[in-house]
Amino acid sequence: MRVTGNRMMELAQAAVSRNQAKVGELAEQVSSGKRVAIPTDDPAAWVQGRRAEMRMALSEGATKVLDRAHDRLEFADGMLESMAEIVSHVQTLAVQGASAGYSASDRALLGDQVAGMLVTALGNANGRTPDGEYLFAGSQSLTAPFDAAGNYTGDTIGRDVPTDENTVVGETVPGSILTAAHGVDILPLLGRISTALLANDVPGLQATLGDLDIAVSQLASARTRMGVRLSLVDETREAHGNLTAQLTIEQSRLTEIDTVDAAGKLAQASNGLEVSRAVSASIAAMLKSAIG
Amino acid sequence: MSNLLSLMNTGAAAITTQNAGIAVASDNVANINTEGRTRQRVDMEAVSGLGMFGGSVRAVGPQRYADDLLAGSIRSTAGSLSMSRAFAAALDVPLSELSSGKTIDQALSDLYAQFQSLSASPTDTVSREATIAAARALAEGIQRRAEAVDAAFAAAQERIEANTSDVTSLAKQIAAANAAVAKSGDPVAADKRDLAARKLAELVGGQARIDPDGQMRFTLDNGAVLVDGQRAAKMETTPTATGSRIEVVDGANRRDVTTSLTGGKLGGEVAARDQALAGARAQLDQLAFDVATNVNAIHRTHAALDGSTGRDLFVQPTAVAGAAKALTINTAIEDDPALLAVGTVGSGPGDNAGAIAMVSLSAQNVGAGGRTLGDAALDVIGKLATASSEATTDAETSEVLANHLDGLRDSISGVDTDEELASLSQFENVSRALMRFVSTCDSLLGSLIESL
């Protein structure tokens, strides 16, 4: 085929431009670490990468929510543990007070002690989170759920939080677990024991002992439920940690470069550019000498 | 003596002929960098004399080294190449706007994440404000992208109008070149006609053919005639409700060619405007409408902190068309975060059923084409990016073909300095020999006259 001097020069210049563009593209990939920097680099990979990013955002959001749920459940469990200790202590005092060896004044002292414990238990039951919500109020979380007598005024709606689009885990336990709906009204029970002790009402005191047994197992059961929830929250949190890691790897696979491979390609392209420049220069020299 | 005079005439005519060769070779070199230049040559033709002697030579031409079939392939490839390039270029800016900064899918993701966070503390004012800010960012993001797509649409529109006047101008140039070729067979006019036809093909695709009468006819892919011999039609745009109509105007006849422009820069701009950008605009409108409708449906049926219900979070668009640019959030909620409704109606302020419903909305296929809203948002960019990427690949393929065809054209029509210098040297040597011949004849004649 007949090839003119102009054509040779054009082809050589086109080769230089092409190789320059290739080197530029690879250099940008190597320096940024991104294979897909803009959607047109690889539309399908870009969309999949973004989809992974969306799932990652939801998973990271779930981890934060689960951290918070963990803290809340742990806080609530601490309150229940304290109440369980109080009830257990009150049970001991009630058994002592019910024994014949105790005088009225001894019982009055015990009654004062129980009254103090009731105040502490009430404080626990009306415990608040750092952001001001009452832990055991159900959905009525801006109102103290137990009145001074220990009667529950909240509702039975526990709060769940989403761990993904379709799954939730419980974050709160309503104060109804401390009421007759789940055994006995624990706080009023403490009030009745205190009153009986102060009033030296031994038959009345003896009548509460059975309820105290129920209260002890009621709190144990509540704590077990709390433990189960905590464990579920922790497992879910761990699963989200793994999912986030997997999604990060997936996103990286889709949109990032293999540095070693890209560096090799860059070296190849740089060599190609040098060669095409040399060819271009030699064609120019050849044409010049032909005219001379 | 009469024979000697005849020989001198022969020599003189031959020198003139060689000079024509020198002139054409010089002209070739002089125009070596002229766009569209076709190599020319002078053919020599023997001229018979009287009897056995006294013949001479004359120049025929100049002839163009051109291949009309190849020129047609070059025009066709140029049309495909410019269409792909124009299409991809028209999508560059809107794609960049759609995919830079916080994209719509990310803003949507942020909104879901804020509802997720709010679900853990539905009474927290800071969390409520952050959720409202995420909703506002989503609305503004969709609005800004819709404006960017509209701006790209308007820019494509402007380029289409500018290109149509270029089409009219090139059609006139071809008709004028046809007239010059018909009048004198001027090879430069033929070069100019080929160049104008190539530029016209780059603008509109179409086909040009040289008829037996030597005149070029240029038609578009749907058969509309732009140039017929020395008659040129005009190309005009007429505004319509959705953009503009492109028409070929020949006297009183107008022919709508908008949808049949399947090549050239104009074809690329029209495809970008009427398919890709119009599609992206429709997708954004549908997305905005679907976001507002589905989020509002949840929000409306849940209770604010004060127990009130029935409010929309986004101002509900009245129609899909124009929804993206009109998307805003309810100012009452923006002014009072307590009105953000995430509680079950009748429950207390700590209820978060609405926030959970918003999070589960992220997995529901309520978007266009039975996709999630997030996927529908990604699809706006995905479709444009795929179309642009395909056009770039097409352009690369066409470029390879165009380079190959340019090489073929160069092998036939390109001027090579080495060849032309060799020709010059050849003609110069022949001229020198002829001068020696004339000089010999002259001295013979002188001697003859002196001897008489």
Side-chain angles (χ1 to χ4, degrees), chain A residues 137-204:
Chain A
S139 76
Q140 305 293 338
S141 58
L142 297 180
T143 312
F146 291 93
D147 63 17
N151 295 310
Y152 184 58
T153 57
D155 58 31
T156 57
I157 303 170
R159 186 192 297 161
D160 293 334
V161 287
T163 58
D164 61 32
E165 306 91 337
N166 303 311
T167 318
V168 293
V169 294
E171 183 199 37
T172 64
V173 174
S176 53
I177 56 161
L178 303 176
T179 67
H182 290 81
V184 293
D185 285 317
I186 294 174
L187 294 173
L189 172 64
L190 300 184
R192 277 195 289 135
I193 291 167
S194 169
T195 306
L197 285 167
L198 289 169
N200 196 28
D201 177 8
V202 176

Side-chain angles (χ1 to χ4, degrees), chain A residues 73-101:
Chain A
L73 287 170
E74 216 169 45
F75 191 39
D77 187 49
M79 298 290 186
L80 289 178
E81 185 184 13
S82 166
M83 286 172 76
E85 282 169 7
I86 288 170
V87 169
S88 177
H89 197 178
V90 168
Q91 191 179 31
T92 308
L93 296 180
V95 170
Q96 285 173 7
S99 71

Side-chain angles (χ1 to χ4, degrees), chain B residues 131-185:
Chain B
T131 308
I132 291 165
R136 192 191 312 113
L138 174 63
E140 286 172 355
I142 292 177
Q143 238 183 40
R144 187 161 65 78
R145 269 45 180 244
E147 282 163 6
V149 169
D150 273 5
F153 192 94
Q157 178 68 26
E158 275 180 26
R159 288 192 297 269
I160 286 168
E161 279 167 22
N163 285 336
T164 52
S165 51
D166 289 346
V167 170
T168 302
S169 163
L170 286 166
K172 275 186 192 167
Q173 285 176 34
I174 294 172
N178 271 337
V181 169
K183 192 175 168 188
S184 63

Side-chain angles (χ1 to χ4, degrees), chain B residues 26-353:
Chain B
S26 306
D27 189 36
N28 280 338
V29 175
N31 283 291
I32 196 165
N33 291 323
T34 304
E35 191 186 8
R37 169 72 177 189
T38 300
R39 178 163 64 116
Q40 294 173 15
R41 69 173 179 201
V42 172
D43 286 334
M44 307 287 169
E45 191 178 77
V47 178
S48 303
L50 293 169
M52 286 180 68
F53 306 105
S56 185
V57 66
R58 71 174 174 203
V60 179
Q63 303 288 330
R64 295 170 70 232
Y65 278 83
D67 181 335
D68 288 337
L69 187 65
L70 179 61
S73 298
I74 288 173
R75 280 192 293 270
S76 167
T77 309
S80 305
L81 177 60
S82 348
M83 177 168 180
S84 305
R85 278 184 181 159
F87 182 85
L91 302 188
D92 271 353
V93 174
L95 255 174
S96 167
E97 287 281 349
L98 280 163
S99 59
S100 60
K102 182 167 280 183
T103 54
I104 296 174
D105 55 291
Q106 287 172 329
L108 195 57
S109 204
D110 278 0
L111 181 62
Y112 292 138
Q114 285 305 332
F115 273 115
Q116 198 174 23
S117 176
L118 184 63
S119 72
S121 53
T123 59
D124 180 37
T125 306
V126 174
S127 187
R128 285 176 164 266
E129 283 171 349
T131 308
I132 291 165
R136 192 191 312 113
L138 174 63
E140 286 172 355
I142 292 177
Q143 238 183 40
R144 187 161 65 78
R145 269 45 180 244
E147 282 163 6
V149 169
D150 273 5
F153 192 94
Q157 178 68 26
E158 275 180 26
R159 288 192 297 269
I160 286 168
E161 279 167 22
N163 285 336
T164 52
S165 51
D166 289 346
V167 170
T168 302
S169 163
L170 286 166
K172 275 186 192 167
Q173 285 176 34
I174 294 172
N178 271 337
V181 169
K183 192 175 168 188
S184 63
D186 180 6
V188 174
D191 279 355
K192 285 184 176 169
R193 185 177 65 182
D194 274 1
L195 181 63
R198 179 173 178 159
K199 286 184 174 171
L200 190 54
E202 280 173 4
L203 278 180
V204 290
Q207 294 93 34
R209 67 165 198 271
I210 310 285
D211 282 342
D213 59 1
Q215 298 288 282
M216 180 181 274
R217 279 166 184 80
F218 198 107
T219 53
L220 296 180
D221 289 336
N222 69 344
V225 179
L226 269 179
V227 182
D228 184 9
Q230 293 165 40
R231 184 185 174 88
K234 286 193 270 184
M235 188 171 262
E236 291 179 354
T237 55
T238 307
T240 62
T242 54
S244 67
R245 194 169 56 236
I246 301 168
E247 293 171 322
V248 171
V249 184
D250 185 8
N253 296 324
R254 303 182 80 90
R255 186 162 175 182
D256 185 351
V257 295
T258 319
T259 54
S260 54
L261 281 170
T262 52
K265 195 174 173 195
L266 206 48
E269 295 284 5
V270 169
R273 182 192 70 175
D274 295 350
Q275 292 166 30
L277 293 172
R281 181 150 69 182
Q283 277 186 294
L284 282 172
D285 279 341
Q286 188 65 55
L287 177 66
F289 190 84
D290 291 341
V291 165
T293 304
N294 288 287
V295 169
N296 286 345
I298 294 170
H299 196 269
R300 212 178 297 134
T301 52
H302 286 85
L305 276 183
D306 62 1
S308 63
T309 187
R311 284 187 197 87
D312 286 338
L313 176 55
F314 293 103
V315 175
Q316 180 63 40
T318 50
V320 173
K325 282 209 293 184
L327 191 64
T328 52
I329 68 166
N330 186 340
T331 50
I333 295 172
E334 203 168 12
D335 293 343
D336 182 3
L339 295 180
L340 191 66
V342 294
T344 303
V345 176
S347 68
D351 190 77
N352 64 356

